[in-house]
Every structure is written in structure tokens, then in C-alpha cells.
Amino acid sequence: MSPDDIEHFFATLAAANPQPASELAYTSVFELLAAVLLSAQATDVSVNKATRRLFPVANTPQALLALGEEGLAGYIRTIGLYRSKARHLIQTSRILVERHGGQVPRSRAELEALPGVGRKTANVVLNVAFGEPTMAVDTHIFRVSNRTGLAPGKNPLQVEQQLERRVPERYRVEAHHWLILHGRYVCTARSPRCGACAVSTWCDMARRSAETAR
């Protein structure tokens, strides 16, 4: 994609959805952190189903510690890898209480030091909770960035760095939401809905397909 293509691409996504938001349900920064940690290799729908039961009972680091690992596991057992996630979330809660006064830190280094929190999770928290222009590259963003030619890369870090360079500044805070939603509902993995895509005009894959069809 050329810089002009990228501008049109994001302007179109922004016009269609001016205020994109995470599909994870949360009411506090800690709930967001917990939900994102639980969402690894799981759908937002499955996480929301579990946290609808969990958060009314325990939605702070202190309350989760009181619940304990086995108690927590009982609420999230419908989510994949629930035992390791329960362990990580309890360990994270303990660190938040002991080192951060029960608050979620705002720095990437401190977030990534929490058990179960990698770069992608840290980027989500920094972006959604604190409004930083980070790019949380999941499978959807990785696919969309490579397919469209927006930010090609061989791994998530390369794609993230390309997005940071190529996405115009005014779109950066919301960019990762637009790209996730586009990948989840339009530019899907197996059967991309190119005929229903509002940004296909600027997509490298769509242009190649059109040229091949001629």
C-alpha cells in the first residue's frame, strides 16, 4: 500500500466506525487486564461468558487472591488453558498487591513482568485503558496487515513495527481496533468477504485478484 492508499484505508474504516471498542467486557483497568490475559487462544465470547460469572464475585487483585487458584479455576474452566491462566492470574494479582498497591501499572516493562502478560497483552492494556497508540498484533491484525499490504511482516513484532511507521498519527489510537474487527468479521482467515469489503479498493490482495480475473 502507498501512503495515499493507507490514508484512504483508515479514513474509510473510521467513517464506518468512528468509536471502535474492545469486544471484551470490563468495567475497570484490572478487569480489562484479567480479561485480556484470559483471552489468549480463546474467543472474546467465551471470555465474556466466564467473566460475567467471575467479576461480580472477584474483580480486584485482592478479591482474586482471596478466591484462590482453585476457586478461580472453577469460574474459568470453560476457557482453554484455564488452569495455567488461573495460576498466572493469581500470581499477577499477588504482584499487583505487593508491588503496585493493587493498581495496574502504566509502563510496558512493568506490565510484561506480570505472569501471563506478553507484549500483545501489554499493548492492549496500554491502548484500551490508557489511550496509548500501541498496536496489539493478534492473528487478525497479522493477517490483515499482510494480506492488504498495509504492514507486511514475517512475525508479529515486525508487523507491529511496520504499523507504527505506516499508520498516520491521527488513526493510531483506534487502529488496532479497526484492524481486529476487520479481520474478525470481513477479512476472515478461510473465506475473506472481499465482495463486502469497504476497503478492497486499497487492498493488495483484492487488486491482485482483480488483475488475475481479467
Side-chain angles (χ1 to χ4, degrees), residues 109-151:
E110 289 174 316
L111 284 168
E112 291 188 23
L114 299 172
V117 177
R119 187 176 183 88
K120 183 183 76 173
T121 298
N123 278 342
V124 173
V125 173
L126 290 170
N127 178 272
V128 177
F130 302 124
E132 296 191 19
T134 53
M135 303 289 175
V137 180
D138 67 351
T139 56
H140 298 300
I141 292 184
F142 186 81
R143 178 174 65 254
V144 170
S145 296
N146 277 285
R147 268 186 184 167
T148 61
L150 169 64

Side-chain angles (χ1 to χ4, degrees), residues 10 14-15 21 36 42 56 64 66 79 85 94 101 118-119 122 133 136 145 167-168 201 210:
F10 280 106
V36 178
L64 277 184
I79 301 173
K85 291 176 181 179
R94 183 170 293 110
R119 187 176 183 88
S145 296
V167 176
T201 300

Side-chain angles (χ1 to χ4, degrees), residues 186 191-198 200 206:
V186 182
S191 302
R193 300 173 57 229
C194 298
C197 179
S200 61

Side-chain angles (χ1 to χ4, degrees), residues 73-90:
Y75 284 95
I76 65 171
R77 64 176 63 252
T78 55
I79 301 173
L81 306 174
Y82 76 94
R83 288 210 171 272
S84 62
K85 291 176 181 179
R87 183 173 64 255
H88 288 153
L89 193 46
I90 290 296

